[in-house]
Amino acid sequence: MPARGGRWAGFWEQRARQLQRQVQAKEERIVELETENAILHLKLAEYQEMTGKSSHAATRFCLLCDEQEGLQRGTRSSLAQLCRVIQKVKQDRKELRSSSLDLLRDCQGQQQDCGSEIVTAVQGAQRHHEAVLAWQSKAGCLEQSLRETTERYQLEKQKRKQLHNRLVETVLVRWDRPGHPWINKTYNFERVYGPAESQRVVFEEVCPLLTSLLDGYNVCIMAYGQTGSGKSYTMMGPHSRKEPVLPVESQGDLGIIPRAAEELFRLISENPSRSPKVAVSVVEVYNNDIFDLLAKDSCAVTSGVKREVLTTKAGKKEIPSLTYESVHSTEEFLTLVDGRLRLRAKHATLVHADSSRSHLIITVTLTTAPSWDSPANRQSDVSLLKEPDCPSPRQPATGRRHSAAHRTSSWSPGAAPEGPTGHMEQVHAKLQLVDLAGSECAGVSGVTGAALRETSFINRSLAALADVLGALSERRGHVPYRNSKLTHLLQDVLGGDAKLLVILCVSPCRKHAAETLQSLGFGTRARQVQRGPARAGRVAPRTPR
């Protein structure tokens, strides 16, 4: 504002000087006219002296007088006009001076106000700077306290782990068979649940693994045991194939899978800032073949398309074109899983009226948007074989039901869906829920024909799984993962790329003592495997198909 007022003051002062010069010029003109008038008077006197001399001179003199009078009239008119201009200039100058003074006073007032605001802003900035310094000091103290607390926490965690490793629970098996040696064996496990334990108590052991899942760790929960020992009950609960899965809160005896789904979505809702997308795949290993229970190819006769396991350049095991479906709530997850469970191969035996004839693997994949400096935005290193144009559908087993196909998406191995902007997403972590088919004795189960063939494949795949665990526990140079499609598919999990929890389901009945001893032996072998710490982090980036 001061600069603006200065420009106006200079303008009006210049205008006033210009008008003064014009007035001065007019005044000089008046002096010149007066001088000319005096000269004319002199000439008039001369002419008057000459009037007597000649009439011609008199006439000429009259003409000169007329001219003089005209000049005088013009001069008077010019003088009057000049006077009016001078008066107007004086009035304008007076108004300009008054306006300039008002403008100057206004500028001075605004300058004072701005100065006060600047002083206030500077004082406020100083106070904020002091507050920032105080907060920085406090943050430093908190960081130091956090480091000390973290160190204490890690120390206590190590102590807890050492104590936890020392605290084991035992299972005592005593069996007296006629004609056989007396059996009195004790098996040690991290936790033993009796028949009276609730599903909720069992899930409490699983619950911390879901927090690890959101922290970026791969997790695998596997149920193992003889047929009819309660594996499917432990994993799903008392689920009827004829009725949909009810919400978790409406049933107190639901198993690990529905409870894990509820806990997973609860943990996701508690931290919306990192909310990953959840996608589900459902496969079964039936007669040593892998079938995608979410797939519905146009050339397939039944739901469930045969797939193969391939190895990526990174050494990971993936299934090409495996079908995933996104879910956004516990209800969507349970509805999807329930529909796929109806496609699972089942067959009635003398031991179990609804015996599962395949290994079920439900994979929950968490994907997040990648950061541009992460490996997820680079070219995928997956090298795959070409699939046949029409995958071979699995022949339906006895009692198989078919359902309408869900709207699904098909991913290549390591592939992830694209985000809303078309950018690739990357896998954050995987949760694999494995309900193994039960081991059984053909003589006890009474199976024949196709069911007997199923029993043979089940027992061989479970034996291959036991061989893999034995090789790992003995640290052999070669681990026979490829002896079965089951162990080949679970190679990454068994090899230490995930936090693995094995739940043994055994029967306390005397007539099942042989199968119980076999299951406990499997658990002991699994417990002897020395696994390194699971590694958090994202697996190989996925390329959309």
Side-chain angles (χ1 to χ4, degrees), residues 367-379 421 423-428 538-539 541:
T367 59
T368 56
S371 58
W372 286 109
D373 57 351
S374 68
N377 292 306
R378 303 170 190 161
Q379 182 71 22
T421 59
H423 297 154
M424 288 189 301
E425 295 175 348
Q426 64 186 88
V427 172
H428 178 69
R538 296 171 174 81
V539 298

Side-chain angles (χ1 to χ4, degrees), residues 235-541:
M235 297 301 289
M236 285 299 301
H239 171 54
S240 172
R241 294 177 61 195
K242 299 181 180 180
E243 299 178 359
V245 178
L246 296 177
V248 175
E249 61 272 11
S250 66
Q251 293 192 18
D253 53 357
L254 287 179
I256 289 174
I257 291 177
R259 292 177 184 272
E262 182 188 41
E263 179 66 12
L264 174 62
F265 283 103
R266 186 190 69 81
L267 292 174
I268 290 175
S269 65
E270 287 182 351
N271 190 355
S273 62
R274 69 174 183 180
S275 294
K277 295 181 180 179
V278 181
V280 179
S281 69
V282 183
V283 302
E284 68 172 348
V285 181
Y286 174 74
N287 287 353
N288 204 36
D289 285 322
I290 299 173
F291 293 92
D292 183 354
L293 296 186
L294 288 180
K296 182 69 175 181
D297 285 10
S298 59
C299 56
V301 179
T302 62
S303 294
V305 177
K306 186 176 179 181
R307 305 293 190 194
E308 295 294 337
V309 179
L310 297 179
T311 304
T312 67
K313 288 184 178 180
K316 301 295 182 181
K317 300 300 176 288
E318 297 287 356
I319 300 178
S321 303
L322 182 61
T323 307
Y324 285 76
E325 184 164 341
S326 297
V327 293
H328 305 88
S329 65
T330 305
E331 291 73 19
E332 289 185 14
F333 176 88
L334 296 181
T335 301
L336 176 66
V337 171
D338 175 67
R340 300 305 96 185
L341 286 178
R342 300 184 185 191
L343 298 176
R344 188 180 183 186
K346 293 182 181 291
H347 190 88
T349 68
L350 296 179
V351 178
H352 197 299
D354 197 25
S355 175
S356 300
R357 315 306 292 169
S358 65
H359 309 294
L360 180 71
I361 302 173
I362 300 173
T363 303
V364 180
T365 304
L366 305 185
T367 59
T368 56
S371 58
W372 286 109
D373 57 351
S374 68
N377 292 306
R378 303 170 190 161
Q379 182 71 22
S380 174
D381 60 354
V382 180
S383 177
L384 304 175
L385 298 177
K386 184 178 180 181
E387 289 188 283
D389 294 334
C390 180
S392 301
R394 182 197 59 210
Q395 296 298 324
T398 305
R400 178 175 304 283
R401 298 179 59 188
H402 298 178
S403 64
H406 288 264
R407 181 177 64 83
T408 58
S409 60
S410 180
W411 294 355
S412 297
E418 292 188 358
T421 59
H423 297 154
M424 288 189 301
E425 295 175 348
Q426 64 186 88
V427 172
H428 178 69
K430 286 184 179 181
L431 168 64
Q432 289 183 301
L433 304 165
V434 184
D435 182 14
L436 296 172
S439 60
E440 63 181 47
C441 176
V444 176
S445 62
V447 294
T448 59
L452 179 60
R453 183 171 181 267
E454 293 170 347
T455 299
S456 175
F457 277 110
I458 291 172
N459 289 337
R460 277 189 285 174
S461 62
L462 293 177
L465 179 59
D467 290 341
V468 167
L469 293 177
L472 291 173
S473 64
E474 297 172 6
R475 298 189 177 184
R476 301 177 197 165
H478 171 70
V479 180
Y481 290 111
R482 292 181 176 269
N483 285 358
S484 168
K485 294 289 182 67
L486 174 65
T487 54
H488 193 198
L489 177 59
L490 297 178
Q491 178 174 344
D492 294 339
V493 173
L494 300 174
D497 194 28
K499 293 187 175 184
L500 175 62
L501 174 63
V502 179
I503 301 176
L504 299 179
C505 298
V506 297
S507 171
C509 298
R510 178 180 293 272
K511 64 179 181 179
H512 297 144
E515 290 81 3
T516 297
L517 287 172
Q518 187 273 334
S519 297
L520 294 175
F522 174 89
T524 300
R525 184 174 295 183
R527 192 167 180 266
Q528 290 172 350
V529 175
Q530 297 295 326
R531 296 169 57 87
R535 299 180 297 276
R538 296 171 174 81
V539 298

Side-chain angles (χ1 to χ4, degrees), residues 66-86:
D66 293 338
E67 292 178 1
Q68 183 180 6
E69 289 178 358
L71 290 173
Q72 289 177 350
R73 286 194 299 271
T75 301
R76 286 194 295 269
S77 175
S78 298
L79 289 174
Q81 183 178 0
L82 181 60
C83 290
R84 289 193 297 272
V85 170
I86 292 173

